Amino acid sequence: MAVDYKERIPNNVSLHEDRRLQRALEEWQPRFLQWWADMGPDGFQARDVYLRTAISVDAQGWAHFDYLRMPEYRWGIFLAEPDPGRTIGFGAHRGQPAWPDVPGEYRGTLRRLIVTQGDTEPASVEQQRQLGRTCPSLYDLRNLFQVNVEEGRHLWAMVYLLHAHFGRDGREEAEALLQRHSGDRDKPRILGAFNEKTPDWLSFFMFTYFTDRDGKYQLASLAESGFDPLSRTCRFMLTEEAHHMFVGEAGLGRIVQRTCEVMRDHRTDDVRRHGAIDLATIQRYLNFHFSVSIDLFGGEISTNAANFYTAGLKGRFEEAKKADDHALAGATYAVSQLDGDRIVTRDVAALPALNERLRDDYIADCQRGVDRWNQTVRKHGIDFELRLPHRGFHRAIGLFSQARVSPDGRVVSQAEWDARQGEWLPTENDKSFVQSLMVPVIERGKFASWIAPPARGINGQAVDFEYVRG
Ligand SMILES: [Fe+2]
Ligand SMILES: [Fe+2]
């Protein structure tokens, strides 16, 4: 499944065999490039960046690394290899051959799912637009740009599906994906977390750890889809997404490490004086980003989620590994909910609880990184533990949005919330302190005061390699 790079739009879907589709996408291409110029990374567009590009979709060696100017990145259409004989793995159509085309009855629903996923991809590029100006190192700058170009490619992935399978509606949706903008008052992005600002690198690493991980779980459940082109698209996107989450996890790990080193070396908790970020502030940023990211999974009880599943459009995380009937009729699932001023767990029908189940898988995955950061804290002999806040904390969507819940999972009064909010969420003081650290470091091999160097470089290169040059 080599990618054809002689084509104007690199692809492994034999685009040249469908002239109409090829022409339509070639018309969309300059508008995408204009969007990238207007809304993509501010500055650095003429620099050489050490980027990876997909050259095939095989598990082995799909990536090629070289210096490239970002506008010359070869955004293209790559689907994972087809699995001949693939059948639908769940829902009412279980066991039937996967659909090569959109079934008419699910057209509107599938389009909505694809547009909602697609909308997040350019949104994050817009959110991260200014970060290059304050990079903590050339290594991190390169990672930011790698994430950005790949989110651009993920937009291509979804736009391809819209153009190839949804006719005129699909083409209109593809245009609208370039017209909505993150935080725009008139035409915002669809989902809340994608209209938040990413004003500093602590937020960026939190975003790539928590919010890109939401992407992983959404893509993984769409990779189970009976609509085969969507499944194959998402499968390949997941391989790129893994790097984004690595950037977040490793970035936060390096921040924690630096903070601990300063605490130990200076025998103080007051690390801000030494240009590091105190653990309490890191915890507040974590609370914020975790809570807005779990909102992305939607309401705990959702008829839509049940319908997507029964229709065979969106499965569970690792559907094939689940040892049940893959239809969930009559099954139950434990869901946390409010009962007056208490939080209780009740068994409810499993089908409408699928959002919550996906959120549970996500939360367990988030915990793994937190455990690793805490190992670093312990290794330095420091008595502090980073924690994921309770799922009810600071929610805008779902059952908990009607209550005030503390990070440790108590329903609290509005008065207590008002009094203690500053302990739980980033304060103006935190934000301006973090902002004060955002001074660009662009000398080879140098790193900002608040982050430790990585253990190793990219693609076997040294840490002090010139990841961005010119
Ligand atoms: Fe993405
Ligand atoms: Fe991503």
Side-chain angles (χ1 to χ4, degrees):
M1 294 285 284
V3 171
D4 188 351
Y5 273 99
K6 293 190 297 293
E7 298 280 327
R8 236 173 88 183
I9 301 170
N11 70 89
N12 69 352
V13 294
S14 306
L15 195 56
H16 62 276
E17 288 171 12
D18 186 340
R19 290 284 171 198
R20 261 175 69 119
L21 176 60
Q22 187 177 35
R23 256 202 313 276
L25 285 166
E26 284 177 357
E27 273 171 39
W28 187 80
Q29 189 176 38
R31 290 197 283 281
F32 167 83
L33 291 171
Q34 189 60 50
W35 166 82
W36 179 267
D38 295 341
M39 304 302 289
D42 190 16
F44 305 98
Q45 299 273 1
R47 303 290 184 89
D48 288 327
V49 185
Y50 188 68
L51 291 173
R52 74 172 181 183
T53 307
I55 44 171
S56 87
V57 295
D58 306 345
Q60 296 88 16
W62 60 266
H64 172 76
F65 286 81
D66 206 352
Y67 282 110
L68 206 65
R69 290 186 205 127
M70 284 185 279
E72 289 157 15
Y73 184 82
R74 301 300 310 275
W75 286 285
I77 299 158
F78 316 126
L79 270 58
E81 302 202 36
D83 170 5
R86 176 169 178 258
T87 57
I88 300 169
F90 59 94
H93 304 284
R94 180 162 192 245
Q96 296 172 16
W99 305 305
D101 276 305
V102 181
E105 55 188 314
Y106 301 138
R107 194 183 163 84
T109 314
L110 264 174
R111 193 184 68 209
R112 193 78 206 140
L113 277 170
I114 290 167
V115 166
T116 307
Q117 178 60 42
D119 194 64
T120 66
E121 314 289 355
S124 65
V125 176
E126 294 168 352
Q127 288 169 291
Q128 295 160 14
R129 171 169 166 71
Q130 299 296 340
L131 290 176
R133 302 261 181 222
T134 58
C135 65
S137 70
L138 287 182
Y139 167 88
D140 291 292
L141 184 62
R142 176 264 167 212
N143 284 349
L144 166 72
F145 293 153
Q146 183 70 53
V147 170
N148 291 161
V149 294
E150 285 176 354
E151 300 303 7
R153 206 205 66 73
H154 292 176
L155 172 61
W156 270 94
M158 293 296 145
V159 161
Y160 165 72
L161 294 177
L162 290 168
H163 270 261
H165 297 279
F166 294 87
R168 197 181 145 167
D169 297 349
R171 290 193 292 278
E172 283 170 6
E173 294 284 13
E175 291 307 313
L177 283 166
L178 296 178
Q179 281 158 14
R180 287 186 292 274
H181 297 308
S182 179
D184 191 299
R185 221 192 293 166
D186 301 321
K187 288 186 174 171
R189 292 295 176 184
I190 296 169
L191 299 170
F194 293 88
N195 288 304
E196 299 284 348
K197 288 199 168 72
T198 311
D200 56 69
W201 281 75
L202 178 58
S203 302
F204 170 68
F205 291 125
M206 291 284 174
F207 186 97
T208 43
Y209 187 76
F210 289 108
T211 310
D212 280 280
R213 191 173 310 276
D214 159 72
K216 168 184 166 181
Y217 282 81
Q218 301 303 332
L219 293 175
S221 50
L222 292 173
E224 302 286 344
S225 185
F227 177 41
D228 203 45
L230 176 60
S231 165
R232 289 171 55 202
T233 288
C234 290
R235 268 189 280 148
F236 185 64
M237 287 165 77
L238 279 165
T239 61
E240 291 174 316
E241 207 60 62
H243 173 69
H244 309 177
M245 289 177 290
F246 157 79
V247 168
E249 180 173 341
L252 292 171
R254 290 161 50 211
I255 294 173
V256 169
Q257 188 189 327
R258 180 70 191 138
T259 300
C260 292
E261 287 166 1
V262 171
M263 287 173 81
R264 195 193 48 197
D265 293 352
H266 295 271
R267 299 174 176 283
T268 179
D269 289 343
D270 186 12
V271 298
R272 286 190 178 194
R273 276 195 308 140
H274 303 281
I277 307 174
D278 49 297
L279 294 171
T281 299
I282 295 172
Q283 177 68 63
R284 283 190 286 275
Y285 272 71
L286 185 159
N287 290 349
F288 174 78
H289 286 272
F290 177 75
S291 60
V292 298
S293 298
I294 58 176
D295 264 345
L296 292 168
F297 290 83
E300 289 81 356
I301 310 295
S302 161
T303 326
N304 275 342
N307 292 340
F308 297 161
Y309 186 82
T310 302
L313 305 179
K314 184 178 177 186
R316 286 173 290 178
F317 181 65
E318 298 186 328
E319 181 68 43
K321 291 189 187 167
K322 307 277 195 276
D324 56 30
D325 67 354
H326 303 276
L328 301 178
T332 59
Y333 191 77
V335 172
S336 301
Q337 43 194 260
L338 284 167
D339 182 1
D341 59 359
R342 292 185 321 136
I343 294 170
V344 297
T345 304
R346 287 206 186 95
D347 282 341
V348 300
L351 275 173
L354 282 166
N355 285 344
E356 190 65 0
R357 186 192 292 248
L358 194 60
R359 185 164 22 236
D360 283 339
D361 290 331
Y362 167 85
I363 291 173
D365 195 11
C366 286
Q367 184 63 46
R368 282 191 270 276
V370 176
D371 291 342
R372 275 189 283 272
W373 305 327
N374 282 330
Q375 274 173 21
T376 303
V377 176
R378 268 199 306 278
K379 246 193 295 184
H380 287 79
I382 293 163
D383 182 23
F384 188 96
E385 193 183 342
L386 290 164
R387 287 195 183 152
L388 296 179
H390 187 273
R391 74 181 63 220
F393 172 74
H394 189 238
R395 292 290 300 281
I397 288 185
L399 303 169
F400 292 109
S401 63
Q402 287 139 46
R404 292 299 193 186
V405 178
S406 64
D408 59 0
R410 285 176 304 113
V411 178
V412 299
S413 65
Q414 184 66 38
E416 183 175 354
W417 176 270
D418 292 341
R420 300 192 61 187
Q421 205 188 141
E423 293 167 41
W424 298 337
L425 288 167
T427 61
E428 287 312 311
N429 175 287
D430 294 339
K431 291 178 197 172
S432 55
F433 170 68
V434 171
Q435 204 58 55
S436 76
L437 296 178
M438 297 297 121
V439 185
V441 177
I442 52 167
E443 214 179 310
R444 265 179 78 165
K446 291 270 189 300
F447 288 80
S449 62
W450 49 272
I451 190 164
R456 57 187 67 82
I458 294 290
N459 190 38
Q461 301 290 358
V463 168
D464 66 356
F465 182 74
E466 194 169 18
Y467 288 102
V468 180
R469 70 182 185 194

